[in-house]
């Protein structure tokens, strides 16, 4: 058995130094899934999942080999990534529904003071963000319509919208 296998075995038995070493050795895999998840705390979630995977690995079996161990970790990390991706996606979908209901308030157009404040806030956004927010919330376009209008993917419009809303939220608070 290799050093990696013994490091994992000791980490599974609670050795804190070996747990740090496992995290270091699997860091490229953690970083890859963290980048794909793209939310705050994703790296921490992936590290915790890795340590749980190591803790649950059946080291006591006789037919265990390093290749079986690596395959087990790789498949388990992928499954954890899929689970987190679905979970985070559901959270975002719920936030979208709530946010769209809040920002589609027509009082922005009817109250001159609100309109002025809104225009000042929009000036803080990038050109793309401003166009997307104006088209979505003032001109009544859907994300799919904007994707076709700007010849980009629906996901690109959604990403621009979320970054813009996040920036507006920070400016307001």
């Amino acid at each position: 058995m290799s050093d990696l296998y013994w490091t994992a075995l000791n980490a599974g038995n609670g050795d804190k130094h070996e747990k740090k070493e496992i995290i270091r050795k699997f860091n490229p895999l953690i970083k890859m899934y963290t980048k794909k998840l793209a939310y705050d705390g994703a790296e921490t979630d992936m590290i915790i999942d890795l340590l749980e995977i190591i803790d649950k690995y059946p080291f006591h079996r006789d037919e265990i080999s390093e290749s079986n161990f690596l395959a087990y970790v790789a498949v388990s990390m992928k499954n954890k990534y899929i689970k987190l991706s679905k979970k985070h996606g559901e959270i975002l979908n719920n936030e979208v529904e709530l946010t769209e209901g809040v920002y589609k308030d027509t009082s922005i157009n009817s109250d001159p003071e609100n309109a002025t404040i809104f225009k000042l806030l929009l000036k803080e956004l990038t050109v793309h963000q401003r166009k997307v927010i104006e088209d979505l919330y003032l001109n009544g376009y859907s994300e799919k319509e904007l994707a076709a209008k700007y010849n980009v993917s629906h996901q690109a419009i959604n990403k621009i919208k979320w970054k813009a809303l996040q920036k507006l939220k920070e400016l307001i608070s």
Side-chain angles (χ1 to χ4, degrees), residues 7-171:
T7 302
L9 176 64
N10 291 331
N13 290 330
D15 187 325
K16 290 180 183 180
H17 175 72
E18 299 292 10
K19 285 184 180 188
K20 289 179 185 177
E21 186 64 18
I22 284 291
I23 293 168
R24 188 187 68 75
K25 287 187 178 190
F26 283 99
N27 197 38
L29 189 64
I30 292 168
K31 292 289 185 192
M32 179 186 75
Y33 287 128
T34 298
K35 186 175 180 181
K36 286 182 177 184
L37 288 168
Y39 69 87
D40 290 337
E43 183 174 12
T44 303
D45 289 343
M46 292 307 297
I47 290 170
I48 290 169
D49 289 338
L50 172 65
L51 294 175
E52 287 175 355
I53 290 165
I54 300 297
D55 286 342
K56 292 178 183 176
Y57 188 74
F59 289 104
H60 60 278
R61 292 169 133 182
D62 292 335
E63 70 277 357
I64 299 298
S65 68
E66 181 179 354
S67 60
N68 288 350
F69 170 71
L70 290 173
Y72 176 85
V73 172
V75 170
S76 297
M77 290 293 285
K78 182 177 181 182
N79 290 338
K80 294 289 187 174
Y81 155 73
I82 291 168
K83 183 179 176 183
L84 287 172
S85 179
K86 286 179 181 178
K87 178 182 174 185
H88 190 66
E90 288 175 12
I91 291 169
L92 282 179
N93 287 337
N94 290 337
E95 289 176 2
V96 169
E97 291 170 11
L98 292 173
T99 306
E100 285 180 350
V102 171
Y103 287 105
K104 284 189 178 176
D105 185 3
T106 56
S107 65
I108 290 173
N109 293 328
S110 62
D111 184 5
E113 186 177 327
N114 283 345
T116 304
I117 293 170
F118 189 68
K119 286 178 184 175
L120 289 172
L121 287 171
L122 286 179
K123 286 182 180 180
E124 298 297 318
L125 300 176
T126 66
V127 174
H128 291 14
Q129 290 173 338
R130 188 173 330 127
K131 284 181 181 179
V132 167
I133 294 298
E134 287 175 347
D135 283 344
L136 284 172
Y137 299 110
L138 298 178
N139 300 332
Y141 284 96
S142 71
E143 288 182 18
K144 287 182 182 178
E145 291 170 330
L146 285 182
K149 179 180 175 182
Y150 296 122
N151 198 25
V152 296
S153 69
H154 175 257
Q155 290 87 354
I157 295 295
N158 195 0
K159 187 175 182 179
I160 292 169
K161 176 185 83 171
W162 276 105
K163 285 188 178 188
L165 291 176
Q166 202 56 29
K167 191 171 188 177
L168 289 172
K169 183 179 174 183
E170 289 172 11
L171 290 169

